[in-house]
Structure formats: C-alpha cells, structure tokens
Amino acid sequence: MSDLSTFARLDAVAQAELCAKGEVSPAELFDACMARIEALNPLLRAVVTVVDERPPAPKNGPFRGVPFLVKDAMPWPGLRWSVGSRLFAKNIAAQSPPYGAALEASGLVCAGKTALSEFGLLASTETLLEGITHNPWDLSRSATGSSGGSAVAVAAGLVPIAHANDGGGSIRVPASACGLFGFKPSRGRTLGATLASSDFADMTSDHCISRSVRDSALFLSITEDRAANAPVGYVQSPIARRLRIATFTRTIMGGEPTPAVRRAYEDAVALLTDLGHTVEPIAAPATNPDALADAFFIVIAEAISRIVDFVDKTRGVPVQHDELETFTWELVDTFVARGPDALKVARATLAAAARAHVETTRAYDAVLTPTIATEVWPLGYLSPILGREELIRRTSRGIGYTPLHNVAGCPGMSVPLHFPAGGVPIGMHFAAAPGADALLLGLAYELERARPWRDQWAPYSIPALF
C-alpha cells in the first residue's frame, strides 16, 4: 500500500488501537488524513473547511488521535460555521455545544468541516456557496444529503468517521447512497448539538456516518446524554435473540420502490430469513401523504424563518435576496403567507403520523424498508435553484421512508447490503421503537458479519486510486 492508503483502510477503532499501542502517533494519523484530503477533495468537494494547523495531540479517550470531520451544521471553535449558506459565509464559531465537547473529550481530532445543503434542507449536497459534492461511486450522481459531505469523506477514505445529523433522513440517505453505515439515534438519546431551538431541531438527531458498526456504536456511547436516558453504552456484539420484523414498501407518499430497489429489498428479506428472523409483510402506516409532506416542510420553514428574523433584528440590515437560495426563500415566504396557525396545524398532522407509525409497528421488534425508494438521482435533480413545489415533489418521490422516524422519535439505520456491479450502492433501512437503539446496533453487527461491507470501496476513493 502507498502512504496515502496505509491508514485509509482502517476504521476509527483500529486507528485508535494503533495509537494506544504506540505504533502510530496522533500527528502521523492527522498528517496522513490531511494528505488524503489534499489529494482527492478537489475532485469530490466533500470538505469545505480545513484547520489551519495540526491541533494538539489528545492525551486520552477511546478515539484518541483519530482524525474526523464535522458537518458544517454544528459549530466548532475557530472554524467557519456557514450551515451551507451564503448568509453565514463569514461566520466563525466561538464555542462548541455539549455534543462537540464530548467528541473532543473522546480523543477525536477535528480536521475540518464537511459540505451540506443550505441549512440541511435538501437531499442533495449542492449549494451556491460551496458548489457540488460528487458521489465517489459515480461522479455524475448526487451524494444526496443533507450530510453528503460527511458521507463522501468516509466513502472516499478521507477520514474513517464523520459527524452528521438527521432531521428527515440526512444521515441514513447519504449513507445508503455512498455504501456506508448510517445510524440515527432515538430522540433525546444524545447531548445537545445545536445552539438554537425549534420543532425541526427537536426532530433532528446528531450522530455520525461510518464504515463499521463498531465505530458508530462507540461514537454513540461517548455522546449519550446520561442524565436524560438509561444509557446504551458501547454495544459491541451481534444480537442473540431472533427478531420479529415487520416490512412494507409503500412510502409515506403512497409510492413504491423502483425495480432495482425492490430487488435489493427482496434480497434483504431473504437474508433476514436465512438468519432466522421472522419477517412479516404489513400495511404501511396510514397517513395523508400531501398533508404530511406539507407539514414537514412547514416545520422546516418555521425554523428558517426564525433564523431570518434573528439576523434581521441583530444586524440591522434585512437578509438580502442573494444571501439565501431560491428554495429557502420560497419556504420562508410560504410559511409567512400561511399565517399564525400554520405551525399548529403542522404539529397536529405530524403527531397523527407518529401515532399511526407507533400503532402499526407496536407488535414488532423492528421494521424493514428500503432507505431510498429510487436509485440515487443525478446531480442537478434537486438543485436549490428549482422551485419549491417541484423540489418537494421530487424529494417526496425518493425520500419516502426515513422522515417518519424523526417525527416519531425512533432510532433508525441504513445498512449497506447491496452493491450493484458498476452502480451506486442501495441501503436497507431498519427502525425500532423509541429507545431501542441497542437492539438496532446488535442487528447491524449481525448483518455486518453476514454481509461484510468494509472492503467495498468506491472507484473514486483513496484505496481504489492509490
């Protein structure tokens, strides 16, 4: 192996073990990471900010010395915090939230920030501020989003693990598109990662995108809010008992997966059956598709409206038209036009959908669906310069499984079980009842053992190219 790929093939736990044994120093891991970013990021555009100099070597922690990247949705002291928007292009963060402090205490070393869609609104990482982030499996395809930069950075071997967050699928969808493991914790499971509050923030979970299940499990153990929940701790082994798993393919918008996705889904059902689990087809939760999509985007629009109002009041100059993308402005304008009852109606719609999901799946240990209903879309398909109605329509076609788990507060995960020859990966999605994070991680370990995916490298990755 060349110098560039020596550490790229190792997950975060393996890199930390080398540090703990004294076989490599944190400085060596960091310098190798920066060399990988310099070599491949100009092509993929996953990383939008890098640190100016090598940070001090951490003295301890389970991830001691491991370089990682932070999604530009979360502040990190001294680094630009743009949230993918021209409005905050020059914003420098002064402090970390409790979540960031826990990451630093674990020994992780921040190398920079990753790209996202503006405010994490769209499922494609294309912004007027940063440009286009490319999928390393097919440069003409989207990395999806909103955590596309984090997924690409891990899939390309730039870092072994990257922070991400998920308000409707933003961890799980990019993980699926890039052939990675993407876990969304239960609501309230982890420490606070935002400095603001809103309904959308309450639906958003912070975690990571990783190549291995153990990296994700360890990451969860260091970010748990132990004052609020019975801790999961570091889950380290496959689940022992056999599960009763519900499954359906109809999306919350009433659609069905494309033939390629259905074939991958049927393969996953066969795998679970071979492993001894009981897989039972059920009817999807009953929802009003149009009302649910509208409610979800109203909640998002309310959060963005708060940001616009805050900037208007604090800087004395209203937010200008060219400081936000077309889609963002249309969301804000629609929310304002709906009047003061819009959020109340949206909350009621989402609460009804959450109840429907819980009631439909109550008798089961887990729920299986595809992660995305279609193959990964081409670049430009979810461009932020398109109109609101068209973007919501296109988004709803592909992102029809994951948002309901944010609404209901459930843990969910995309597992990379299908790698089509010459194509883009297709992930399968599993969800469980709120609080059942350990059950999902145990299932993930079992699936990882049955279908090892760590050595599935994208054509435009460090191990494949160097």
Side-chain angles (χ1 to χ4, degrees):
M1 293 186 293
S2 70
D3 288 340
L4 276 180
S5 64
T6 298
F7 300 123
R9 295 180 180 274
L10 303 178
D11 70 355
V13 169
Q15 291 191 23
E17 288 174 347
L18 288 180
C19 260
K21 294 175 183 176
E23 295 179 15
V24 66
S25 69
E28 289 175 300
L29 288 179
F30 182 83
D31 290 347
C33 169
M34 298 305 288
R36 295 193 298 270
I37 292 173
E38 183 179 358
L40 201 48
N41 192 61
L43 175 66
L44 300 176
R45 301 179 68 88
V47 184
V48 296
T49 302
V50 294
V51 297
D52 292 331
E53 57 186 25
R54 185 196 300 153
K59 291 183 169 52
N60 46 44
F63 278 125
R64 177 178 174 265
V66 177
F68 85 120
L69 293 162
V70 175
K71 180 180 177 180
D72 201 16
M74 186 175 76
W76 194 268
L79 294 184
R80 190 176 60 141
W81 180 27
S82 73
V83 205
S85 177
R86 291 169 293 173
L87 179 62
F88 297 116
K90 297 181 180 179
N91 186 43
I92 305 297
Q95 61 181 2
S96 285
Y99 195 95
L103 297 180
E104 191 169 21
S106 77
L108 286 166
V109 180
C110 180
K113 306 289 283 292
T114 59
L116 71 157
S117 53
E118 183 169 68
F119 298 115
L121 303 182
L122 284 172
S124 192
T125 307
E126 308 172 46
T127 66
L128 296 180
L129 173 65
E130 307 290 5
I132 294 171
T133 299
H134 296 269
N135 191 315
W137 289 90
D138 181 342
L139 299 181
S140 71
R141 296 282 161 176
S142 173
T144 73
S146 64
S147 306
S150 293
V152 171
V154 176
L158 306 186
V159 289
I161 195 168
H163 161 261
N165 63 7
D166 187 318
S170 288
I171 287 175
R172 294 161 288 163
V173 170
S176 175
C178 293
L180 301 169
F181 181 65
F183 185 86
K184 182 198 84 68
S186 295
R187 179 182 299 144
R189 170 67 64 192
T190 59
L191 295 164
T194 179
L195 303 179
S197 63
S198 68
D199 285 41
F200 185 47
D202 289 343
M203 291 196 306
T204 300
S205 294
D206 281 69
H207 190 51
C208 67
I209 294 177
S210 64
R211 184 165 290 276
S212 68
V213 176
R214 66 178 184 174
D215 278 2
S216 185
L218 180 57
F219 198 97
L220 181 63
S221 73
I222 65 173
T223 56
E224 282 192 280
D225 185 352
R226 295 175 179 271
N229 301 283
V232 168
Y234 182 16
V235 179
Q236 300 183 64
S237 58
I239 193 165
R241 69 184 178 93
R242 299 302 82 191
L243 304 179
R244 187 182 180 201
I245 301 175
T247 184
F248 56 86
T249 57
R250 186 177 68 83
T251 72
I252 58 175
M253 298 305 295
E256 290 288 340
T258 61
V261 174
R262 180 171 289 278
R263 287 192 296 271
Y265 159 80
E266 290 171 350
D267 179 66
V269 171
L271 171 62
L272 290 166
T273 302
D274 288 345
L275 292 171
H277 300 290
T278 300
V279 183
E280 299 181 19
I282 65 169
T287 60
N288 182 325
D290 292 335
L292 183 56
D294 183 72
F296 195 81
F297 279 99
I298 283 293
V299 165
I300 293 173
E302 189 269 342
I304 305 306
S305 295
R306 286 193 187 195
I307 295 172
V308 172
D309 289 343
F310 176 79
V311 173
D312 284 349
K313 292 174 183 176
T314 55
R315 78 177 187 184
V317 178
V319 177
Q320 302 298 297
H321 186 268
D322 64 356
E323 291 181 298
L324 296 177
E325 294 171 349
T326 300
F327 178 67
T328 306
W329 270 127
E330 290 191 4
L331 283 180
V332 173
D333 291 343
T334 299
F335 175 73
V336 172
R338 292 285 184 87
D341 290 335
L343 184 60
K344 179 180 178 181
V345 172
R347 285 171 171 167
T349 300
L350 295 178
R355 288 193 298 272
H357 175 77
V358 170
E359 289 301 319
T360 302
T361 61
R362 186 185 301 278
Y364 299 90
D365 297 304
V367 181
L368 164 69
T369 66
T371 305
I372 311 174
T374 67
E375 293 95 321
V376 173
W377 34 91
L379 291 169
Y381 182 73
L382 294 181
S383 167
I385 65 173
L386 297 175
R388 171 185 173 275
E389 290 186 5
E390 180 64 15
L391 279 171
I392 291 178
R393 184 186 70 80
R394 293 184 181 189
T395 299
S396 299
R397 173 69 184 96
I399 313 300
Y401 300 111
T402 55
L404 201 52
H405 309 113
N406 297 81
V407 174
C410 303
M413 64 183 185
S414 182
V415 184
L417 295 180
H418 196 67
F419 293 84
V424 176
I426 299 174
M428 287 297 115
H429 190 274
F430 297 84
D437 304 64
L439 180 147
L440 282 189
L441 287 170
L443 176 59
Y445 274 116
E446 183 181 29
L447 294 171
E448 183 182 39
R449 183 173 61 187
R451 291 276 183 87
W453 59 72
R454 284 198 217 176
D455 292 327
Q456 297 275 5
W457 288 98
Y460 297 93
S461 66
I462 292 293
L465 292 173
F466 296 92

